[in-house]
């Protein structure tokens, strides 16, 4: 992968009273990579993402997406980014096709609702309301809604939280397809380390408002092992998740 950067973040800061929620964060995201932001609860991941997305005011620091300064030109940035919305924020009286059509009207550049529905495997649900969808389907709908303007960069905040193993895997496939086929750049947060290991080209690990390391999952694991770390011995060669998937199959249920 050619390392051309599409997001640059320089010395980003946000304070709430005495709390330094984001305390001098700098990093780059390369074009067409899947970049993960990891860290314990309260580390500052969402605050960092929301400042980058232009949803939260930046106290100090500079963010540029595709060469556009987010604080100076928020409207220009909105055209090229897609942000996964929480499904609870959706209008209750529109079905998913109508919702995607409505979101499309906010943009000059837009993708057809039916194409988006097919892309996220919600065929047959065109007339459904969000509340009639399962958790996995709602997550896929929220990804569809973030793609309406055919964005260059997609932001996903904990995209698979609360999903069953089949639905998580199906979302991983979708995220990989959006990167590989549609050539988008994806920035995501997750608390699932297996997910970050599987999906992310590079991860940043945050704690107390700071980034403590950025690297590929492989390098981070190698570094740990080179320090003499001994992995905990597993009780068995397979996991309970392997059993679950063996018994219930890999096919999506919803
Ligand atoms: P999680 O993994 O739980 O989602 P996070 O890493 O995304 O956590 P943030 O939501 O960015 O963490 O919060 C970072 C810190 O900033 C936390 O201590 C949080 O309580 C605080 N914080 C976030 N938003 C506000 C706000 N609007 N007012 C005051 N404090 C806030």
């Amino acid at each position: 992968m050619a390392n051309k950067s599409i997001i640059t973040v320089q010395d980003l800061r946000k304070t709430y009273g005495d709390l330094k929620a984001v305390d001098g964060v700098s990093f780059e995201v390369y074009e067409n990579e899947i970049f993960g932001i990891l860290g314990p609860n309260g580390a500052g991941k969402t605050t960092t993402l929301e400042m980058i997305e232009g949803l939260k005011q930046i106290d100090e620091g500079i963010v540029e997406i595709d060469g556009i300064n987010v604080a100076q030109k928020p409207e220009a940035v909105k055209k090229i980014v897609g942000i996964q919305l929480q499904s609870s924020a959706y209008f209750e009286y529109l079905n998913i096709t109508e919702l995607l059509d409505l979101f499309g009207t906010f943009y000059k550049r837009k993708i057809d609702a039916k194409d988006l529905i097919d892309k996220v495997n919600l065929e047959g649900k065109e007339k459904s309301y969000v509340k009639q969808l399962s958790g996995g389907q709602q997550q896929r709908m929220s990804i569809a809604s973030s793609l309406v303007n055919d964005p260059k960069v997609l932001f996903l905040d904990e995209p698979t939280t609360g999903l069953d193993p089949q639905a998580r895997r199906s979302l991983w496939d979708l995220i990989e397809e959006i990167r590989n086929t549609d050539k988008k750049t994806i920035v995501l947060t997750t608390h699932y380390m297996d997910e970050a290991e599987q999906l992310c080209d590079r991860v940043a690990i945050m704690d107390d408002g700071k980034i403590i390391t950025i690297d590929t999952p492989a390098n981070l694991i190698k570094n740990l092992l080179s320090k003499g770390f001994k992995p905990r011995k597993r009780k068995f060669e397979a996991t309970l998740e392997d059993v679950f998937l063996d018994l219930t199959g890999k096919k999506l249920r919803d």
Side-chain angles (χ1 to χ4, degrees):
M1 187 192 299
N3 290 344
K4 183 165 178 269
S5 104
I6 187 158
I7 301 177
T8 57
V9 177
Q10 285 170 45
D11 205 19
L12 196 62
R13 291 170 194 272
K14 182 89 190 170
T15 50
Y16 294 111
D18 291 339
L19 176 76
K20 293 178 175 172
V22 177
D23 190 12
V25 158
S26 301
F27 60 93
E28 287 181 309
V29 177
Y30 304 138
E31 229 167 37
N32 199 218
E33 81 172 331
I34 302 180
F35 186 86
I37 304 181
L38 314 179
N41 292 133
K45 303 178 298 294
T46 302
T47 310
T48 300
L49 265 197
E50 290 183 347
M51 285 194 283
I52 296 172
E53 294 161 350
L55 295 181
K56 196 164 261 179
Q57 206 183 331
I58 294 171
D59 281 357
E60 281 179 57
I62 298 171
V63 178
E64 283 185 358
I65 303 183
D66 206 22
I68 305 168
N69 185 304
V70 171
Q72 289 169 358
K73 295 192 173 165
E75 291 309 314
V77 167
K78 282 194 189 104
K79 288 185 189 144
I80 59 161
V81 302
I83 300 168
Q84 186 190 15
L85 294 170
Q86 293 305 315
S87 49
S88 58
Y90 291 143
F91 302 114
E92 284 181 11
Y93 52 87
L94 297 177
N95 69 38
I96 66 167
T97 307
E98 292 164 340
L99 278 172
L100 292 170
D101 280 337
L102 172 69
F103 295 150
T105 62
F106 302 151
Y107 301 97
K108 267 202 196 118
R109 182 185 175 88
K110 60 185 171 205
I111 300 188
D112 182 65
K114 179 70 180 118
D115 290 345
L116 287 170
I117 287 171
D118 291 351
K119 172 161 206 64
V120 301
N121 296 318
L122 285 175
E123 303 92 341
K125 298 284 175 190
E126 289 81 0
K127 296 266 161 61
S128 298
Y129 294 85
V130 170
K131 60 174 183 272
Q132 298 171 318
L133 302 178
S134 71
Q137 290 169 339
Q138 290 192 12
Q139 289 289 51
R140 299 209 296 283
M141 167 60 189
S142 75
I143 292 186
S145 68
S146 67
L147 291 170
V148 280
N149 58 332
D150 196 17
K152 287 188 179 176
V153 182
L154 191 60
F155 293 97
L156 308 173
D157 201 356
E158 297 187 28
T160 67
T161 294
L163 301 187
D164 71 31
Q166 284 92 349
R168 287 181 69 213
R169 275 164 180 68
S170 145
L171 245 138
W172 293 354
D173 290 345
L174 176 62
I175 292 169
E176 280 179 336
E177 184 193 314
I178 292 169
R179 187 272 288 279
N180 295 340
T181 311
D182 306 335
K183 303 290 174 212
K184 301 196 186 303
T185 304
I186 296 167
V187 180
L188 60 83
T189 66
T190 181
H191 286 298
Y192 300 118
M193 295 306 125
D194 60 338
E195 178 164 297
E197 200 180 317
Q198 162 83 25
L199 281 181
C200 296
D201 299 301
R202 292 185 308 141
V203 297
I205 301 181
M206 282 190 81
D207 202 7
D208 284 333
K210 293 188 167 69
I211 289 183
I212 42 183
T213 190
I214 301 185
D215 211 331
T216 61
N219 282 345
L220 292 170
I221 293 166
K222 271 187 224 152
N223 290 345
L224 176 69
L225 292 173
S226 72
K227 287 196 294 190
F229 176 84
K230 295 273 175 277
R232 201 165 39 143
K233 281 238 158 48
R234 295 172 69 131
K235 260 191 189 162
F236 307 107
E237 301 268 303
T239 64
L240 196 54
E241 178 155 313
D242 295 327
V243 174
F244 181 94
L245 287 169
D246 179 57
L247 292 176
T248 59
K250 293 214 165 114
K251 220 172 101 251
L252 257 186
R253 288 326 154 84
D254 53 29

